[in-house]
């Protein structure tokens, strides 16, 4: 599949690049960002996938998170996808910030008119990794995933739905129990229909209750002053309780004074890179 390079910038000895390609899953042109550390010049490196939150593109993470130095030091290729299909001209896709464009929720839609394009789950778990494996010096056997907010939800469900596929998972302020929060109810009813039993297949709290895969050490950072935490959008306590019940290891850190922004992510991103490097470079 043809890749078109959009940009390339040297950073901490490596290269931060952005590419465009025609997506088969999403039936549109998509962009992704990829950071190639210095080690990628001489051999295959582990791949770490980042999933962003509502309204974001591939640009938010690469310009605001400040992860490059840690990724360079640990020799990790870091890939950041977009958050939804773009330019599909579906009626209603640009009417609200939390549904449609920029809000794919990392599900495979089953409802019209979304099901033809809104297949972000298959895109980030299958199509994008295959594209990366075929075109860049990565080791397909060493792959991990992390994300923020809607992308934190995405990272958790990708890891829980695919035991053994990802070596590690982490999240910043993830939407942990979307079947019970306003964001999730809106997105899932639109993409997946009114049968709420189908929603549980994309809900980390429900997925962990039936998880039977290899051990997965989960790291979650949550800002204590996050407005969406107090608004009941994130519901981490439900996820922690489910992990505890199933004896799935999770480190949950409630960070005093921090909100939902990239200022929060930038403070703790190095911890997350280290968390993944521990498993990816083992």
């Amino acid at each position: 599949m043809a890749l078109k390079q959009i940009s390339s910038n040297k950073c901490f000895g490596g290269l931060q690049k952005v590419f465009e390609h025609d997506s088969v899953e999403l039936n549109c042109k998509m962009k992704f960002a990829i950071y190639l550390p210095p080690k990628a010049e001489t051999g295959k490196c582990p791949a770490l996938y980042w999933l962003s939150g509502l309204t974001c593109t591939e640009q938010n993470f690469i310009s605001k998170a400040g992860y490059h130095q840690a990724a360079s030091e640990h020799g990790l290729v870091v890939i950041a996808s977009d958050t939804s299909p773009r330019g599909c001209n579906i009626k209603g896709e640009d009417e609200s910030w939390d549904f449609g464009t920029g809000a794919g929720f990392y599900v495979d839609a089953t409802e019209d008119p979304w099901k033809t394009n809104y297949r972000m789950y298959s895109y980030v778990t299958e199509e994008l990794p295959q594209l990366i494996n075929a075109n860049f010096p990565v080791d397909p056997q060493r792959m991990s995933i992390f994300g923020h907010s809607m992308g934190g939800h995405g990272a958790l469900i990708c890891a829980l739905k695919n035991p053994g596929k990802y070596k590690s998972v982490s999240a910043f302020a993830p939407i942990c129990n979307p079947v019970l929060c306003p964001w999730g109810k809106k997105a899932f009813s639109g993409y997946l229909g009114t049968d709420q039993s189908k929603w549980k297949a994309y809900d980390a709290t429900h997925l962990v209750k039936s998880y039977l895969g290899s051990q997965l050490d989960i790291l979650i950072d949550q800002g204590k002053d996050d407005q969406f935490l107090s608004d009941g959008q994130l519901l981490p306590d439900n996820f922690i309780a489910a992990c505890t019940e199933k004896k799935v290891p999770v480190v949950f850190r409630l960070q005093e004074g921090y909100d939902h922004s990239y200022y929060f992510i930038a403070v703790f991103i190095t911890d997350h890179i280290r968390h993944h490097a521990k498993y990816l470079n083992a």
Side-chain angles (χ1 to χ4, degrees):
M1 192 178 296
L3 291 179
K4 178 185 176 184
Q5 183 168 295
I6 304 297
S7 64
S8 181
N9 300 92
K10 189 164 183 174
C11 191
F12 289 100
L15 291 168
Q16 176 63 67
K17 294 175 176 281
V18 175
F19 289 90
E20 184 179 77
H21 72 107
D22 291 311
S23 169
V24 175
E25 286 288 355
L26 308 180
N27 287 288
C28 67
K29 287 191 181 300
M30 289 293 284
K31 290 178 183 172
F32 66 86
I34 182 166
Y35 177 70
L36 300 165
K39 285 183 182 174
E41 293 177 17
T42 55
K44 292 190 174 184
C45 297
L48 176 57
Y49 287 82
W50 171 267
L51 305 182
S52 289
L54 290 163
T55 75
C56 290
T57 68
E58 79 289 339
Q59 289 293 319
N60 299 71
F61 178 67
I62 66 173
S63 61
K64 295 179 179 179
Y67 70 93
H68 295 93
Q69 185 170 7
S72 174
E73 290 173 358
H74 290 285
L76 305 184
V77 171
V78 183
I79 303 100
S81 73
D82 203 343
T83 55
S84 77
R86 298 279 168 179
C88 297
N89 299 314
I90 300 172
K91 186 180 179 182
E93 71 178 341
D94 295 318
E95 287 180 3
S96 56
W97 66 275
D98 55 358
F99 184 80
T101 301
F105 262 85
Y106 305 103
V107 304
D108 284 350
T110 55
E111 299 297 298
D112 288 323
W114 311 100
K115 65 184 182 183
T116 302
N117 304 97
Y118 278 69
R119 297 179 52 78
M120 286 300 295
Y121 173 75
S122 287
Y123 177 72
V124 299
T125 59
E126 298 296 336
E127 184 179 4
L128 185 57
Q130 287 169 11
L131 192 65
I132 299 300
N133 294 344
N135 289 279
F136 300 97
V138 297
D139 178 353
Q141 303 304 315
R142 292 187 292 158
M143 180 165 74
S144 289
I145 194 164
F146 65 154
H148 169 232
S149 194
M150 176 185 74
H153 140 77
L156 291 173
I157 66 164
C158 287
L160 291 167
K161 286 167 75 68
N162 297 278
K165 187 181 186 87
Y166 302 96
K167 297 291 186 187
S168 51
V169 61
S170 73
F172 292 87
I175 302 170
C176 290
N177 200 181
V179 302
L180 293 181
C181 79
W183 281 339
K185 288 176 181 178
K186 179 177 181 177
F188 286 6
S189 59
Y191 296 136
L192 304 173
T194 54
D195 181 356
Q196 295 191 14
S197 65
K198 294 178 181 176
W199 299 4
K200 293 178 181 178
Y202 295 104
D203 183 297
T205 298
H206 284 280
L207 288 169
V208 84
K209 290 176 183 176
S210 56
Y211 182 74
L212 297 171
S214 54
Q215 182 169 316
L216 196 64
D217 287 336
I218 304 167
L219 170 63
I220 296 175
D221 272 310
Q222 171 65 59
K224 194 173 182 181
D225 289 5
D226 186 329
Q227 71 192 79
F228 300 116
L229 178 65
S230 54
D231 287 350
Q233 295 281 20
L234 307 178
L235 306 174
D237 291 349
N238 297 358
F239 181 68
I240 301 307
C243 286
T244 302
E245 187 180 323
K246 286 294 292 184
K247 294 183 171 57
V248 173
V250 57
V251 173
F252 178 77
R253 308 192 304 187
L254 193 60
Q255 303 291 3
E256 190 78 38
Y258 286 97
D259 59 14
H260 199 73
S261 72
Y262 268 89
Y263 296 109
F264 158 60
I265 294 171
V267 175
F268 301 104
I269 192 72
T270 299
D271 289 352
H272 285 245
I273 297 288
R274 281 198 204 108
H275 169 78
H276 293 293
K278 182 171 65 176
Y279 296 95
L280 290 170
N281 291 327

